[in-house]
């Protein structure tokens, strides 16, 4: 799996790829990341990559020419065509299902925009996918690219210490797309608060029922649309519905 990242700030990625458990994916090249700076493909003494927008207005716009030359070089180095992803407010919100698809793919070229945006002609001619992290605006696409890379890397075999770790994540199909339950560790008593009794019972079925009930209650309170999706998919049984009825 290879991700080519087009960014004006490649130095931001070095500490990211060398930190935390996901560094295993990058060190082993399970997830290969190749950084490209569009400024290296810009013309003139100043290597300009942005200019004022036609029609006026604040800010600058990334120019199509250096981005195109940079993209062409990245695709040539890959030796094959690949999806071209732009991180943008109008993109599809990044969700677990999409992360799973990317984690099983051969990768993509990730374009990190800056300034007021990217020349629309480059987007129309070269971008195949647009992704958003949510309804807010970042200074550039680098943080969004790191979010996608991190989410993909942690799903690779052997990256997490426990192979079952990501299976218990929020939104995972193994949890029927629900939010995860609360977690507790030592000490058993802290700041006047204890650990819920079922977790101390040693009774596996009782523990799993408590966790399921918590997932249902938290999801119903915080993300009711996920409950509706699970119900529509036939993932909730009579015991689940009884819990939801009681909580509501």
């Amino acid at each position: 799996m290879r991700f080519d990242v087009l960014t004006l700030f490649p130095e931001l990625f070095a500490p990211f790829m060398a930190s935390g458990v996901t560094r295993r994916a990058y060190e082993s090249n399970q997830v290969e990341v190749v950084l490209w700076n569009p400024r290296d493909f810009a013309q003139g003494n100043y290597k300009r990559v942005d200019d004022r927008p036609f029609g006026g207005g604040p800010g600058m716009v990334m120019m199509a020419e250096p981005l195109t030359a940079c993209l062409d070089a990245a695709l040539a180095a890959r030796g094959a065509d690949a999806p071209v992803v732009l991180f943008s407010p109008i993109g599809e919100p990044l969700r677990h299902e999409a992360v799973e698809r990317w984690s099983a793919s051969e990768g993509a070229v990730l374009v990190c925009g800056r300034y007021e945006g990217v020349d629309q002609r480059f987007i129309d001619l070269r971008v195949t996918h647009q992704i958003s992290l949510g309804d807010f605006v970042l200074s550039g696409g680098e943080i969004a690219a790191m979010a996608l890379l991190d989410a993909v890397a942690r799903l690779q075999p052997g990256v997490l210490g426990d192979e079952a770790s990501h299976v218990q994540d929020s939104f995972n199909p193994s949890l029927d797309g629900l939010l995860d339950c609360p977690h507790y560790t030592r000490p058993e008593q802290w700041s006047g608060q204890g650990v819920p009794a079922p977790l101390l019972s040693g009774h596996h079925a009782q523990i799993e029922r408590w966790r399921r009930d918590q997932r249902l209650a938290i999801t119903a309170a915080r993300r009711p649309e996920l409950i509706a999706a699970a119900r529509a998919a036939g993932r909730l049984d009579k015991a689940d519905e009884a819990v939801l009825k009681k909580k509501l």
Side-chain angles (χ1 to χ4, degrees):
M1 178 185 303
R2 170 170 167 161
F3 287 93
D4 293 85
V5 183
L6 277 55
T7 171
L8 296 176
F9 299 94
E11 65 273 12
L12 295 178
F13 287 82
F16 163 73
M17 292 190 294
S19 304
V21 69
T22 53
R23 74 183 185 282
R24 298 171 182 168
Y26 311 120
E27 291 172 351
S28 66
N29 271 349
Q30 281 177 279
V31 180
E32 182 182 5
V33 178
V34 182
L35 302 172
W36 302 82
N37 192 334
R39 201 175 299 279
D40 295 335
F41 298 85
Q43 303 298 313
N45 294 332
Y46 294 103
K47 298 291 184 180
R48 191 166 188 173
V49 295
D50 62 301
D51 209 336
R52 294 184 297 274
F54 283 116
M60 306 292 276
V61 176
M62 293 187 73
M63 301 165 66
E65 287 104 334
L67 279 173
T68 297
C70 187
L71 174 59
D72 287 341
L75 291 173
R78 292 179 69 97
D81 206 3
V84 178
V85 177
L86 176 69
F87 298 99
S88 163
I90 71 169
E92 178 183 352
L94 186 61
R95 296 189 174 92
H96 181 80
E97 293 83 357
V99 171
E100 285 192 318
R101 290 196 298 270
W102 287 114
S103 71
S105 74
E106 295 183 359
V109 179
L110 309 181
V111 180
C112 301
R114 279 274 163 175
Y115 313 118
E116 285 298 306
V118 173
D119 191 307
Q120 186 64 39
R121 292 168 292 185
F122 173 82
I123 299 173
D124 293 340
L125 294 175
R126 304 305 300 271
V127 171
T128 62
H129 297 71
Q130 296 193 58
I131 293 176
S132 170
L133 291 191
D135 295 344
F136 57 94
V137 177
L138 296 165
S139 298
E142 286 78 11
I143 291 175
M146 292 178 196
L148 177 60
L149 290 171
D150 185 79
V152 165
R154 68 190 307 277
L155 295 185
Q156 302 308 306
V159 171
L160 300 183
D162 187 334
E163 286 296 317
S165 291
H166 70 78
V167 176
Q168 300 299 317
D169 287 342
S170 294
F171 314 114
N172 197 289
S174 68
L175 299 185
D176 295 326
L178 305 177
L179 299 178
D180 198 5
C181 62
H183 298 278
Y184 299 83
T185 189
R186 294 177 177 82
E188 187 175 321
Q189 291 290 329
W190 179 79
S191 194
Q193 299 187 58
V195 176
L199 298 180
L200 304 174
S201 68
H203 193 287
H204 181 73
Q206 186 177 348
I207 292 171
E208 287 308 308
R209 185 67 251 177
W210 181 88
R211 287 175 172 166
R212 178 71 172 183
D213 292 352
Q214 292 296 309
R215 290 171 184 136
L216 290 165
I218 291 170
T219 306
R222 300 288 185 174
R223 296 288 301 275
E225 76 277 12
L226 299 179
I227 293 289
R231 182 178 288 123
R235 296 172 178 168
L236 304 183
D237 59 22
K238 290 182 179 179
D240 294 334
E241 295 291 3
V243 170
L244 290 170
K245 185 177 181 180
K246 183 187 303 182
K247 296 295 183 182
L248 296 175

